[in-house]
């Protein structure tokens, strides 16, 4: 077997929508009704995915096709409805949204510390990385300022910088780089490229074909909870474009 | 197997392996997963400590008196009850504050924990849907913050009693045991309300209302012996009754509590913890979707 880092077997995720489920009163009232209004659908249906160490996989598909759901399953935020997810890595880091876990009242320094451990990293490692993090984010002057006074760009930079400098082995990136100005985007892209050269395994969601071509050596197209295509980046983009344009 | 090949499964470990076809609600995660759960919590202990510090720090941000409120709040309450039950309704207990304070602080610890825990998961929605971490940490931190207040104020109380005439009873040595039992009970309750309130948003409000109600039927500002004997077993159904009575026995009556009563209390506390964990584990798979 090749050197796998991600293995999903028959992975499914079912979501439910209830008419209204959060009130005790309506729950009791609804328990009398036989035809409860419940919508269920499979966002992902029996998916098999294998990713080898060092692969850089891009995920494409329309809004609501299950891209973020897949990432959240890989990250462990969601529990699968059925099937298995296995990650063979101790250093799995995710950027689902920039600046999550930041507390506006805490200073930049305190937030770096807190965010580091939120990502499941050991505090002892932070010392060596700290300077790189603030250097990349460009916040050295504002380290002892509460985060609420940071601009949104600074906050985003800091969020990205912490994860990017944590030496990920498996990096999961949702569509986060759309925010921020071009300079920030370019800096992030360069950092990701640098990580890729260092052998990181990348799973990235993006709507930008240029990003895909730049980072990925494999693309997965998800449509209606299933994989439509899994393979060459250019071919995946071509098929996807064909479908979208009709 | 090298270090990097270390196997890590995402999410709740046993659930992933077992449930090939099972539907998400009602999985047998608890029985086989309890050890991996503790392992996972241990792995995230630094996060727990850091979050605990953050919560302490943020509590009084922008407040002028800051940490003083931790002491001032129970003091003001105690002063009120002291006034009411010594001068308006005469309780007839000598040194009434010495009777009132320990039980009141202990009650405050459990009630305060449960109230904040009931909101802990709901109010951290943006964390739970975006970062993978063991959500048990949140209600546990609610308890830890309240425990910190309790220990500080209890410590100050004991110090005061030691310096002023009444002196410290020898029974104080047993205090850590009682506190431990109370902590176990409180964590159980906290897990219970934190997880269920994601599904029933009324629970935080119910906790507030029922908590205030239970306060009056728990022997906190009166001793259990004031209650007619035939009603005492009814009050005994409330696990806090026994625990508050221990505080009264140790610190006010200067008597050693019945050892079998302590044992029973400990068992009840552990049962609550197990119940809390069990319910939490059944609920937690829905947190990221429902909250």
């Amino acid at each position: 077997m090749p050197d796998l880092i991600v293995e999903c077997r028959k992975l499914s995720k079912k979501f439910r929508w209830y008419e209204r489920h959060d009130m005790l009163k309506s729950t009791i009232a609804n328990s009398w009704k036989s035809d409860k209004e419940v919508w269920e659908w499979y966002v992902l249906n029996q998916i098999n995915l294998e990713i080898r160490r060092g692969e850089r996989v891009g995920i494409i598909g329309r809004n609501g096709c299950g891209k973020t759901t897949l990432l959240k399953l890989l990250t462990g935020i969601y529990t699968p409805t059925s099937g298995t997810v296995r990650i063979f890595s101790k250093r799995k880091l995710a950027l689902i949204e920039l600046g999550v876990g930041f507390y506006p009242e805490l200073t930049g320094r305190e937030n770096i510390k807190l965010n580091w451990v939120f990502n499941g990293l050991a505090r002892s490692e932070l010392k060596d990385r700290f300077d790189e993090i603030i250097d990349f984010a460009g916040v050295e002057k504002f380290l002892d300022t509460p985060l609420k006074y940071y601009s949104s760009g600074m906050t985003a930079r800091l969020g990205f910088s912490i994860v990017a400098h944590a030496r990920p082995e498996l990096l999961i990136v949702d569509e986060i780089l759309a925010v921020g100005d071009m300079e920030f985007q370019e800096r992030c892209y360069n950092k990701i490229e640098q990580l890729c050269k260092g052998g990181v395994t990348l799973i990235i969601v993006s709507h930008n074909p240029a990003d895909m071509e730049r980072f990925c050596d494999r693309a997965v197209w998800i449509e209606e909870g299933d994989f439509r295509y899994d393979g060459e980046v250019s071919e995946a983009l071509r098929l996807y474009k064909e479908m979208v344009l009709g | 197997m090298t270090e990097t090949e270390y196997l890590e499964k995402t999410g709740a470990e046993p659930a992933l392996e077992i449930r090939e076809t099972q539907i998400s609600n009602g999985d047998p995660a608890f029985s086989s997963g309890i050890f991996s759960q503790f392992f996972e919590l241990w792995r995230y202990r630094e996060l727990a400590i850091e979050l605990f510090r953050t919560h302490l720090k943020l509590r009084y941000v922008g407040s002028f008196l800051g940490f003083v409120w931790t002491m001032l709040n129970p003091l003001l309450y105690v002063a009120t009850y002291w006034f009411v039950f010594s001068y308006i309704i005469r309780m007839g207990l000598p040194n009434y504050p010495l009777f009132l304070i320990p039980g009141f602080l202990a009650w405050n610890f459990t009630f305060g924990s449960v109230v904040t825990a009931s909101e802990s998961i709901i109010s951290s929605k943006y964390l739970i849907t975006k970062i993978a971490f063991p959500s048990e940490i949140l209600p546990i931190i609610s308890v830890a913050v309240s425990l910190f207040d309790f220990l500080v104020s209890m410590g100050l109380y004991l110090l005061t009693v030691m310096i002023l005439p009444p002196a410290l009873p020898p029974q104080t040595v047993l205090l850590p045991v009682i506190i431990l039992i109370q902590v176990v009970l409180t964590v159980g309750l906290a897990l219970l309300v934190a997880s269920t309130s994601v599904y029933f948003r009324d629970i935080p409000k119910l906790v507030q209302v029922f908590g205030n109600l239970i306060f009056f039927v728990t022997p906190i500002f009166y001793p259990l012996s004031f209650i007619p004997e035939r009603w005492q077993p009814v009050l005994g159904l409330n696990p806090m009754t026994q625990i508050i009575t221990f505080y009264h026995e140790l610190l006010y009556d200067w008597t050693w509590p019945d050892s079998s009563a302590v044992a029973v209390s400990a068992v009840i506390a552990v049962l609550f913890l197990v119940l809390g964990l069990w319910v939490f584990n059944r609920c937690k798979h829905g947190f990221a979707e429902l909250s």
Side-chain angles (χ1 to χ4, degrees):
Chain A
M1 199 155 77
D3 196 10
L4 286 183
I5 193 161
V6 174
E7 184 196 58
C8 302
R9 289 253 170 276
K10 290 185 181 171
L11 180 63
S12 297
K13 183 68 185 173
K14 182 167 72 180
F15 276 135
R16 289 173 170 202
W17 275 4
Y18 302 81
E19 198 171 36
R20 180 139 195 125
H21 63 281
D22 52 352
M23 305 279 274
L24 211 53
K25 192 182 77 184
S26 68
T27 306
I28 293 165
N30 277 323
S31 64
W32 302 107
K33 283 202 288 183
S34 53
D35 55 337
K36 269 182 272 184
E37 293 269 4
V38 179
W39 294 273
E40 294 187 344
W41 79 98
Y42 279 92
V43 183
L44 291 175
N45 202 355
Q46 305 266 337
I47 276 183
N48 292 307
L49 176 67
E50 286 184 351
I51 295 173
R52 284 188 300 278
R53 220 164 277 274
E55 270 194 303
R56 303 187 296 278
V57 183
I59 298 167
I60 52 172
R62 287 189 281 194
N63 286 336
C65 74
K67 299 186 297 287
T68 299
T69 304
L70 178 60
L71 293 195
K72 285 190 176 180
L73 283 165
L74 294 178
T75 319
I77 293 170
Y78 286 158
T79 314
T81 306
S82 66
T84 58
V85 177
R86 297 169 89 189
I87 308 284
F88 303 91
S89 169
K90 242 185 178 176
R91 273 184 121 58
K92 169 190 68 182
L93 287 163
L95 285 164
I96 300 291
E97 200 177 291
L98 287 179
V100 179
F102 280 158
Y103 282 67
E105 298 285 350
L106 292 182
T107 66
R109 191 192 301 277
E110 289 168 330
N111 267 307
I112 294 173
K113 256 163 74 179
L114 182 59
N115 213 262
W116 188 263
V117 288
F118 246 126
N119 283 299
L121 301 159
R123 261 188 65 183
S124 54
E125 286 180 52
L126 180 58
K127 274 190 212 92
D128 305 332
R129 307 266 81 99
F130 194 80
D131 290 338
E132 290 174 30
I133 290 171
I134 56 170
D135 194 41
F136 181 91
V139 294
E140 50 274 75
K141 280 186 200 146
F142 312 101
L143 270 182
D144 295 311
T145 311
L147 212 75
K148 59 180 173 184
Y149 300 121
Y150 281 34
S151 71
S152 53
M154 273 162 78
T155 313
R157 276 207 301 273
L158 192 58
F160 179 86
S161 184
I162 292 168
V163 170
H165 291 94
R167 299 206 166 146
E169 189 183 21
L170 172 61
L171 183 62
I172 298 171
V173 184
D174 202 352
E175 234 186 311
I176 45 154
L177 300 179
V179 298
D181 56 20
M182 268 173 70
E183 192 214 338
F184 168 63
Q185 283 188 14
E186 200 44 44
R187 270 153 65 83
C188 292
Y189 287 154
N190 285 336
K191 185 69 204 170
I192 292 176
E193 264 185 338
Q194 199 186 321
L195 287 170
C196 288
K197 279 190 192 116
V200 79
T201 310
L202 181 71
I203 302 173
I204 188 166
V205 164
S206 175
H207 281 300
N208 186 350
D211 295 355
M212 287 285 160
E213 301 269 15
R214 184 168 169 187
F215 296 120
C216 305
D217 51 15
R218 174 180 166 192
V220 174
W221 169 23
I222 305 179
E223 181 71 27
E224 286 171 352
D226 210 350
F227 286 174
R228 263 311 153 77
Y229 181 84
D230 182 352
E232 282 291 308
V233 179
S234 52
E235 182 64 7
L237 288 170
R238 193 184 62 80
L239 289 170
Y240 176 53
K241 200 173 162 191
E242 222 173 73
M243 194 271 306
V244 171
L245 298 177
Chain B
M1 188 183 259
T2 66
E3 206 184 50
T4 47
E5 276 167 359
Y6 170 87
L7 169 66
E8 186 200 349
K9 297 172 207 139
T10 51
E13 294 190 68
L16 294 170
E17 289 296 52
I18 297 164
R19 293 182 307 162
E20 286 288 334
T21 53
Q22 223 165 340
I23 298 167
S24 70
N25 54 8
D27 68 84
F30 180 68
S31 53
S32 48
I34 192 109
F35 288 108
S36 61
Q37 187 173 15
F38 283 127
F39 174 74
E40 186 72 357
L41 275 175
W42 177 248
R43 209 167 73 85
Y44 275 89
R45 65 193 178 280
E46 289 187 328
L47 172 62
I49 292 165
E50 205 59 46
L51 268 180
F52 170 67
R53 280 198 197 134
T54 304
H55 279 243
L56 280 187
K57 228 183 282 176
L58 290 185
R59 211 160 32 148
Y60 301 116
V61 161
S63 138
F64 181 64
L65 286 176
F67 188 71
V68 176
W69 278 113
T70 308
M71 300 300 110
L72 211 53
N73 204 31
L75 261 176
L76 290 175
Y77 269 103
V78 164
T80 313
Y81 285 112
W82 181 12
F83 177 72
V84 170
F85 292 113
S86 295
Y87 298 101
I88 300 176
I89 306 165
R90 282 159 210 276
M91 205 61 93
L93 289 170
N95 292 327
Y96 186 63
L98 294 183
F99 173 83
L100 178 64
I101 294 171
F104 185 79
L105 294 178
W107 166 263
N108 248 1
F109 159 50
T110 295
F111 183 50
S113 303
V114 174
V115 167
T116 45
S118 69
E119 300 266 10
S120 62
I121 302 280
I122 305 170
S123 64
S124 297
K125 167 189 170 162
Y126 75 103
L127 289 176
I128 286 173
T129 53
K130 300 282 158 56
I131 309 181
F133 69 100
S135 46
E136 297 88 325
I137 283 181
L138 297 170
I140 289 173
I141 282 169
S142 302
V143 177
V145 170
S146 286
L147 178 63
F148 175 81
D149 287 352
F150 173 51
L151 292 180
V152 171
S153 44
M154 193 54 139
L156 281 178
Y157 167 79
L158 294 176
L159 206 70
T160 318
V161 172
M162 218 160 71
I163 297 163
L164 293 176
L168 216 53
Q171 281 81 359
T172 312
V173 294
L174 221 62
L175 201 57
V177 179
I178 304 304
I179 293 177
L180 181 68
I181 293 173
Q182 199 190 345
V183 168
V184 171
L185 173 72
T186 306
V187 170
L189 291 171
L191 289 169
L192 195 68
V193 295
S195 52
T196 46
S197 43
V198 176
Y199 295 84
F200 303 104
R201 296 298 164 96
D202 313 56
I203 284 176
K205 297 194 174 50
L206 289 173
V207 165
Q208 274 283 359
V209 173
F210 275 96
N212 285 321
L213 201 118
I214 291 168
F215 172 77
F216 285 99
V217 293
T218 308
I220 295 165
F221 57 87
Y222 55 85
L224 186 62
S225 55
F226 276 31
I227 301 290
E229 213 148 290
R230 64 198 172 104
W231 288 111
Q232 282 183 15
V234 180
L235 263 67
L237 288 176
N238 168 9
M240 283 305 285
T241 297
Q242 188 58 68
I243 285 176
I244 302 286
T245 305
F246 287 145
Y247 284 100
H248 290 162
E249 283 174 346
L250 291 180
L251 299 177
Y252 185 74
D253 302 336
W254 294 44
T255 54
W256 296 98
D258 185 21
S259 57
S260 64
V262 176
V264 168
S265 246
V267 170
I268 290 173
V270 170
L271 286 179
F272 266 95
L273 179 64
V274 170
L275 177 73
L277 268 175
W278 184 71
V279 171
F280 194 94
N281 285 338
R282 287 186 77 97
C283 290
K284 72 174 171 190
H285 301 302
F287 290 169
E289 290 150 52
L290 287 172
S291 58

